Amino acid sequence: MLTKTIYLIRHGETEFNRRGVVQGSGIDSDLNELGFLQAKAFFDAYQHIEFDKIYTSKLRRTVQSVQEFINLGIPYEQYEGLNEISWGEKEGKVPNYLEDENYLEIIANWSKGKTDIPAAPGGETPEQVVARQKVAFEEIIARSDEKTILVAMHGRAIRILLTHLLDLPLSEMDNFSHSNLCLYRLSYDYNTQKFSLEVANDTTHLAELLVK
């Protein structure tokens, strides 16, 4: 049976994450000190996996999250289609009470199936995000010689992607939780052309950091 195993991670923590600042695709931030420690912990836990290829978004925080694997000589590619959703005019801002209410209203509308509503003025809709993700993942899946791959992405983008890969409505995206440097592991069966979810939002590799 021809299969592909996909290790899908969210990037490590940034100062924007820590401060509650909206990032999106328009903020190209770096990992903070904890984020680099999370990346190192993930590397220590999974460096034994023989990844054939690494895929990241075009944003630095995803590359930095897998840099130690790249340093091993594993080939990697960056895809703009894997970028985080654009939060438009909200990017770079710390949400205040009114903006939180607006955010909750947007999430509520998405959960009702109104996924053609943008994240914010000037931002993307979930439907626009999944459309670019489909293009990127079609190329990735077409490479059947790559048996095991590592993909580094972003929180909302992962939620959106998982609904697509698992044939679920976009309105169910918030059923998927995520933490900084969490792991989702999926398997793709080339015969059935179906994905199966094996591990969800796993952070066991960060246990020592949580203790500290």
Side-chain angles (χ1 to χ4, degrees):
M1 183 171 64
L2 182 58
T3 61
K4 183 191 296 288
T5 301
I6 302 161
Y7 286 73
L8 174 64
I9 63 169
R10 185 189 179 200
H11 62 81
E13 186 182 88
T14 68
E15 277 303 293
F16 287 83
N17 291 145
R18 187 186 67 79
R19 292 167 48 209
V21 177
V22 179
Q23 289 181 102
S25 61
I27 303 292
D28 194 10
S29 54
D30 294 299
L31 300 186
N32 62 14
E33 182 179 359
L34 177 57
F36 280 111
L37 289 174
Q38 291 169 336
K40 180 64 165 62
F42 181 79
F43 175 77
D44 289 344
Y46 291 98
Q47 61 181 304
H48 65 284
I49 302 295
E50 296 183 1
F51 293 114
D52 296 303
K53 182 71 90 41
I54 298 169
Y55 294 93
T56 74
S57 76
K58 288 278 191 174
L59 302 172
R60 287 196 302 268
R61 54 192 183 270
T62 60
V63 178
Q64 291 171 350
S65 296
V66 295
Q67 187 61 56
E68 294 210 48
F69 292 95
I70 295 171
N71 292 345
L72 294 177
I74 301 171
Y76 82 102
E77 292 183 35
Q78 295 177 281
Y79 280 74
E80 190 171 353
L82 303 182
N83 280 6
E84 179 61 297
I85 191 171
S86 169
W87 285 95
E89 66 179 26
K90 285 187 175 294
E91 293 184 348
K93 298 177 181 178
V94 179
N96 60 32
Y97 176 76
L98 292 177
E99 288 173 329
D100 281 342
E101 287 294 309
N102 178 248
Y103 171 80
L104 293 174
E105 181 181 355
I106 291 169
I107 298 301
N109 279 321
W110 287 348
S111 69
K112 294 173 184 175
K114 300 176 182 179
T115 51
D116 60 341
I117 295 176
E124 289 180 292
T125 69
E127 291 177 5
Q128 290 173 320
V129 175
V130 79
R132 58 175 166 80
Q133 289 178 343
K134 286 179 181 179
V135 174
F137 252 77
E138 282 175 4
E139 290 188 32
I140 292 169
I141 294 303
R143 299 167 181 177
S144 58
D145 57 313
E146 298 171 4
K147 308 298 184 188
T148 307
I149 62 172
L150 176 58
V151 181
M153 291 179 59
H154 308 264
R156 177 58 56 179
I158 285 176
R159 285 175 157 166
I160 292 171
L161 177 66
L162 288 170
T163 63
H164 166 57
L165 298 185
L166 299 173
D167 293 322
L168 297 170
L170 263 174
S171 59
E172 295 186 18
M173 69 179 103
D174 278 288
N175 291 340
F176 298 103
S177 301
H178 61 73
S179 307
N180 282 117
L181 225 305
C182 70
L183 169 67
Y184 276 86
R185 192 177 72 236
L186 302 100
S187 178
Y188 178 74
D189 186 320
Y190 281 90
N191 294 319
T192 63
Q193 298 184 352
K194 295 290 185 181
F195 292 87
S196 57
L197 181 62
E198 299 174 344
V199 172
N201 193 27
D202 180 19
T203 56
T204 54
H205 49 279
L206 304 179
E208 291 189 10
L209 294 179
L210 296 175
V211 169
K212 296 176 182 178

